[in-house]
């Protein structure tokens, strides 16, 4: 027997979706890639949400056997609302994944993590045979860090040490990301803090350099991954 939860059934995307027509077109393009038996990694963000809705409709219409591995609690709840079965990396390896990004440079390197889920997102991208990154023209930059800081998930008690080490790497601004809807900082789904860090230059080794700092769980830098960039029309 399934729960009949009004809280789940009444879920709606919280923020206004910008460029919704363009994003719905690319969501349909992502949904068209689904094959019976697929295990699909489901990224975060509004475009991923729209793609999830399109996939769930196709699964329902064509009675496909598909399972999702979401990157966040939010997307897990939407899977429940849409009737899309979920699984985990304990049980399955994703056949492919779709996700968004905050910035994409000419080398297909990314900044992700405005939603704070970069650890699970990176884990799924690393685990997936194929990764589709859905963006629109506004996300394309000449160099990483042009528009957004680098999100960094940090174990709370490591904060002073991590701050010192990030400054030694050239961080020009470091801020603890504040929460919305609660007092204090945002807490990641892993129980950690998220720092937003600005750098004048982000080198090719920065993802590895930041990750090597004791107390850093993960950063929002994705450098050197095999990614397929899918553009949403404006």
């Amino acid at each position: 027997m399934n729960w009949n939860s009004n809280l789940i059934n009444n879920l709606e995307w919280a923020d206004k979706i910008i460029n919704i027509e363009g994003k719905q077109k690319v969501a349909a393009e992502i949904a068209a890639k689904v094959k019976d038996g697929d295990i699909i990694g489901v990224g975060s963000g509004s475009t991923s949400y729209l793609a999830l809705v399109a996939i769930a409709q196709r699964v329902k219409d064509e009675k496909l056997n598909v399972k999702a591995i979401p990157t966040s609690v939010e997307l897990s709840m939407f899977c429940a609302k849409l009737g899309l079965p979920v699984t985990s990396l304990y049980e399955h390896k994703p056949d492919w994944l779709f996700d968004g990004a905050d910035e994409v440079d000419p080398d297909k390197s990314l900044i992700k993590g405005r939603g704070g889920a970069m650890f699970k997102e990176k884990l799924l991208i690393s685990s997936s045979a194929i990764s589709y990154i859905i963006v629109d023209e506004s996300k394309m930059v000449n160099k990483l860090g042009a528009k957004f800081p680098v999100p960094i998930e940090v174990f709370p008690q490591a904060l002073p040490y991590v701050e010192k080490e990030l400054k030694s790497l050239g961080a020009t601004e470091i801020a603890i990301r504040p929460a919305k809807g609660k007092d204090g900082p945002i807490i990641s789904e892993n129980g950690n803090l998220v720092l937003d860090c600005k750098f004048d230059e982000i080198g090719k080794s920065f993802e590895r350099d930041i990750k090597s700092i004791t107390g850093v769980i993960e950063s929002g830098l994705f450098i050197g991954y095999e990614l397929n960039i899918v553009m949403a029309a404006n």
Side-chain angles (χ1 to χ4, degrees), residues 6 38 59 82-83 90 92 97 103 141 144-145 147 152 225 234:
N6 288 332
D38 275 354
V59 166
L82 296 167
Y90 286 126
H92 294 99
L97 164 142
E103 290 186 356
V141 295
L144 293 182
K147 296 181 179 180
I152 302 172
Y225 293 75
N234 289 319

Side-chain angles (χ1 to χ4, degrees), residues 143-202:
K143 69 173 188 174
L144 293 182
K147 296 181 179 180
F148 292 102
V150 177
I152 302 172
E153 184 174 349
V154 176
F155 181 72
Q157 293 186 44
L159 198 61
Y161 175 73
V162 171
E163 179 186 16
K164 176 178 75 71
E165 293 299 304
L166 288 172
K167 287 179 178 178
S168 74
L169 287 177
T172 57
E173 294 181 33
I174 305 174
I176 299 174
R177 186 181 299 180
K180 295 180 180 179
K182 67 174 281 292
D183 294 335
I186 191 171
I187 304 296
S188 76
E189 292 181 10
N190 304 310
N192 299 307
L193 300 173
V194 176
L195 301 181
D196 287 314
C197 301
K198 291 185 178 181
F199 298 89
D200 289 335
E201 295 291 333
I202 295 174

Side-chain angles (χ1 to χ4, degrees), residues 99-120:
D99 204 346
D102 303 317
E103 290 186 356
V104 182
D105 78 2
D107 295 325
K108 299 183 181 179
S109 294
L110 314 177
I111 287 180
K112 291 175 50 56
R114 275 198 295 166
M118 55 274 191
F119 174 74
K120 186 73 178 290

Side-chain angles (χ1 to χ4, degrees), residues 65-80:
N65 177 25
V66 167
K67 292 182 179 179
I69 305 179
T71 57
S72 67
V73 170
E74 182 179 34
L75 270 297
S76 296
M77 292 191 295
F78 277 113
C79 284

